Each structure stands twice: as C-alpha cells, then as structure tokens.
Amino acid sequence: MSTEPLQSVGADPAPSPCTLVIFGGSGDLAGRKLLPALYNLSMDGVLPSEIAVIGTGRKELGDEGFRQFAREGTEKFSRQAPERTHWAEFESKLFYHSGSLDDPESYVQLRRRIEEVELEAGLPPNRIFYLSIPPSRFATCIEQLRAAGLVSDAEDPVNFSRIIVEKPIGHDLQSAEVVNETLAQAFDERQIFRIDHYLGKETVQNILVMRFGNTILEPLWNQKYIDHVQITVAEAEGVGTRAGYYEEAGALRDMVQNHILQVLCMTAMEPPWSLDPEAVRDHKLAVLKSLRPIRGEDVGREVVRAQYGAGFSSEGTAVPGYRQEVGVAHDSTTETYVAMRVYIDNWRWAGVPFYIRTGKNLPKRTSEVAVQFKHVPHTLFNRDPEHLLTPNVLTLRLQPEEGFAFGISAKLPGPKVKVRPVQMDFGYGDSFQEPSPEAYERLLLDVMAGDSTLFMRRDAVEASWRFIDPIFEAWSAGGARWLPEYDAGGWGPIEADRLIGGTRDRSWRQP
Ligand code: BG6
C-alpha cells in the first residue's frame, strides 16, 4: 500500500504569522494539550517560524515559569519529547502575562505586552485569543478584549483577530444562545472557532475521505443497502477528578450533544460540492436538521440512560460506583451511559436506525462507526439456520487502533460450500509509519490558517441543542430517583440491549 500522505479534509493549512494568547495559560488544557501540540507542530516544521505564544492567568509565573510549565507538560503529554536545541528555540517564543480576567487595566497591560512582543519578533498584529477559561467568564473577557482595542474588524484585509472557544457551549439551547450572542458582540462568525476536538482526530476526518475519495462506498451508502449504523464511543475510565463538572453535564451533554453528533454528521452527510468550510458545514447542518425529534414518551423508548455501579476496571482493579465517587451526590441521577436510536428523516437514510452509545467505565477505550449492510436478497449459501450468512459490516475504527475493517463472506476451504465471514483489515499504524498528529495540532494550525471547516458553526451548535433539549425535558418531567445501573467494566445496562433488539442481526458489537 502507498505511504503517500493522507489527503487532508479542508484546505491545506497555510498558517499565518501570529500571536496566540491563551487565557487560562497555566491551566490543565494548556499544559496537557495546547503547549505540547504547539511544540509538536514546531518539531514537524509546520508551525510558522514567526509566532509568539503568550499565556495569561492569575498565577505569577513570569516568562521563565511559563516556559518551565510548558516543558513539564510537553515531557509528560507530548507525542515527541522535548529535544534540547529545538526546545530552546521553541521556548524563546513563549511569554507570560499575569493578570485578572476582571481587571480592565490587565487588558491594557496585555495589549502593551502583545505589541512589545510583536515589535521584537517582527510579527504583524495577527492575534488569536484562546479562551481556555470557564464559559461563565467569556462575557467579561470578550468585553474587555474589545474595550482594550484588541479585536480587529473581520473585514480587515490584512490583519486578523480570531477567537477560539471550547465546549461546553452552554448547557442547553438557551444558554448556548447566550454564549453565542456574547461572542457575536465582539467577533464576526468568521472570526470564531468553536473547538470540538473529535473533528481534529485524523480518523474522524478520514470518514469523509473514505466516503468521498473512493468510488465503491458511496453508491451503497443509503437506505437501500444499509441495515443500520452503530456509533460507539466507549471510555475505560470513570469520572476521575471531574465530578464537579460531570455532575452538571452527564454523558448526553458531555459526549452526545457534541462529539457523537459530529461523528454522525460526518457519517451521514450528503457529498458537499467542495471542501469550502461553508459547504461542508452546511451539509453537516442539514443532517442535524433532519434528525427525527425524540420527545415526550418517545424518550423512554428511544433513549437509555444508566450509571455505573461498582465493578472492575479493564486492569482488574476494583472501582467504586458513580455515586460513591468523590464529589458525586449519593443520590445523583447524572447518567454516565447513554444509548439511543436515532433516525435521520431524509431520502438517503429513511428507515435506517443509527444506534449510538457512550459511557464511562466500559471494558475498554474504543470509538468506532460500524455500518452494517443488509442481507443479500436471495440466500444461496448457508441456508441452515444455524449458519446463516453474516451481513457485511464496515467498521471505521476512530481510536485507539485507528483503521477500518470490512467483514465479507468467503468460502471455507474444502469440498463443501461453507461460507464464513472474514475480515479485510487496514490499520493506520501498519500503512503509515508516521504517528497521527493529535487533534489539537491540526485544529490550532487551522485557526492560524483561518480554515474553519473543522469547527462548529453557531447554527450547528444550536441545532444539536435543539435535538438534545427535549430529551432532558422528558427526563426531568419523569423525575427519576434511580437510574438503571451497569457494572463498571461491563458493556452497559440490559436496557441498551433491548433498545437495539438483541437479535442475531441487530445487537451491539463488542469492539
Ligand atoms: C471530552 C469529555 O470532551 O472528551 C470527556 O469532556 C471525555 O469526558 C473526552 O473523556 C473523550 O475524549 P477522547 O479524545 O479521549 O476520546
């Protein structure tokens, strides 16, 4: 197989020289993801050499302290360890400004600092503001950025200001609209980059390449040939130290509203006429708009929620039940698992169920999209009910063993015609020697290039909430005191098996 680089989704990034300002610069995301991602980009020679990164936060770190923080994060979390000479060059581009989010004077000083850095490094006034801070602080920060004259006009033909925000964008439609309005007060939609890190994953982008870069799949990719689709995002870890956040979120908000619906959109969207960001995002939005609403009594039939009880991790160590976790209410009804049956009411997908599931403390960390095709129309082989033909399944493995597998029927060697399923398998690791870049690497580069293809547009975020909100409404109207439980380390509750049917042709895959 050729080892030519994968064709990327969206325009090939051509990042511009810029200054990246990270609010929450000494926080968890910066240390684990952002700074290591920038270092990797620089190691790979794709980060513009004309760049400065200014971390800001309340801590009094100073430039040296910030560089040390970045080094520790890179040592621990980067796919490439800091290499001596290269690190020295990279860290010379890192700066720190300490200040309070509420203090207008701090933004005036920040502006001065940015201008100094730009002058010294010969950088144009292209600024990217990364808000790695709680959404409740967005409004203050954005208002102050504007008041300090740090936001340039979207129409400026030469220089740019861009803003990056992370999920959660609200906790329901109404609050998402408030966040989006806040952003819109200072920034044009073209300047706003809402990150869903799943879209930065190589294999999620590869869904489009698989579908639209090959001739054989697309003619079959519809209700005529597909029986159903399963999307699984399983996590092996429990809630860990994030109970404070998770208690308010739960699996539906944390994973389905954003990541899983995005993967669903990539799987189900119509072919866009080009890779222009708006064309791609318009077609994804059309999927969200075609989702059959699940509300009222339908919620009980179409959605299963559950909580992990005590059990064992994949390594065999005992783990507590969710309600025994530190920071979790002893009578919490926050779901750590969701499974649902979703229909896309359009020409292509009429009548094809999409089964989606996600949960914490499942047997392993694995994400995949499995497309199960219909049976052949007439049975010639394996008429014996014990050995019926197995339908073809195309599995797109998103993580961790990235690749795809196609299950097809083949004849067993021997004088009789006996047919068994075999796997055609492709692993990224085997075919492409290079390790895949981390999602944040791709996404940061795209913001520097001004390519918003892989970012969430306002209308898509709001359309996702419009689909999700009625499920919460039905849950709170039902007023559950206890949720079904599944053993930590197991594949989820029995109710989820009932949802999919639990028949020979429709049952959850065990990836
Ligand atoms: C985050 C969720 O968005 O995604 C976490 O808040 C979850 O709860 C994580 O663990 C999963 O991301 P990944 O890339 O590890 O699959």
Side-chain angles (χ1 to χ4, degrees), residues 56 74 112 114 136 151 174 203 221-222 226 236 337 373 400 412 439 476 490 497 506:
T56 89
T74 307
R112 250 181 252 135
I114 294 173
S136 55
V151 182
Q174 205 188 358
T203 39
W221 210 255
N222 57 55
I226 292 178
Y337 176 98
F373 290 84
L412 269 184
S476 51
D497 295 332
R506 290 215 180 147

Side-chain angles (χ1 to χ4, degrees), residues 80-277:
Q80 303 180 81
E83 187 260 311
R84 208 150 59 95
T85 346
H86 199 91
W87 181 263
E89 196 204 321
F90 175 72
E91 74 166 14
S92 69
K93 296 173 177 162
L94 306 183
F95 306 90
Y96 190 77
H97 165 77
S98 56
S100 147
L101 279 175
D102 302 302
D103 178 10
E105 183 50 29
S106 164
Y107 293 81
V108 175
Q109 286 165 9
L110 173 64
R111 181 180 175 154
R112 250 181 252 135
R113 190 77 211 269
I114 294 173
E115 287 167 351
E116 271 166 33
V117 167
E118 285 171 346
L119 190 69
E120 256 173 52
L123 294 175
N126 291 334
R127 287 115 187 212
I128 299 174
F129 302 103
Y130 200 123
L131 303 198
S132 178
I133 53 176
S136 55
R137 310 312 315 279
F138 285 2
T140 312
C141 185
I142 289 166
E143 177 46 39
Q144 297 291 350
L145 282 173
R146 188 173 58 169
L150 279 164
V151 182
S152 67
D153 194 321
E155 303 299 336
D156 186 330
V158 187
N159 297 118
F160 61 77
S161 304
R162 295 179 185 145
I163 188 157
I164 309 178
V165 289
E166 281 274 338
K167 75 176 250 277
I169 309 285
H171 59 271
D172 57 12
L173 176 59
Q174 205 188 358
S175 51
E177 283 170 345
V178 172
V179 174
N180 284 332
E181 265 317 302
T182 306
L183 289 164
Q185 273 164 24
F187 293 89
D188 183 90
E189 185 63 27
R190 287 165 295 170
Q191 298 172 291
I192 303 170
F193 293 76
R194 297 177 192 81
I195 284 197
D196 182 314
H197 78 277
Y198 264 60
L199 293 178
K201 289 183 193 274
E202 281 288 331
T203 39
V204 174
Q205 295 166 48
N206 197 36
I207 298 174
L208 293 197
V209 179
M210 284 276 294
R211 290 189 54 200
F212 305 134
N214 294 296
T215 318
I216 57 165
L217 291 180
E218 207 41 32
L220 307 178
W221 210 255
N222 57 55
Q223 39 77 25
K224 283 195 197 119
Y225 298 100
I226 292 178
D227 180 76
H228 73 273
V229 178
Q230 294 185 26
I231 301 179
T232 300
V233 178
E235 296 191 85
E237 305 281 314
V239 70
T241 52
R242 297 170 71 221
Y245 154 77
Y246 200 80
E247 272 283 85
E248 296 299 314
L252 189 61
R253 284 193 180 94
D254 188 44
M255 298 296 288
V256 180
Q257 185 271 339
N258 36 72
H259 308 322
I260 296 188
L261 286 184
Q262 284 302 308
V263 171
L264 177 104
C265 287
M266 303 287 256
T267 309
M269 69 192 270
E270 295 302 315
W273 57 269
S274 89
L275 289 179
D276 172 82

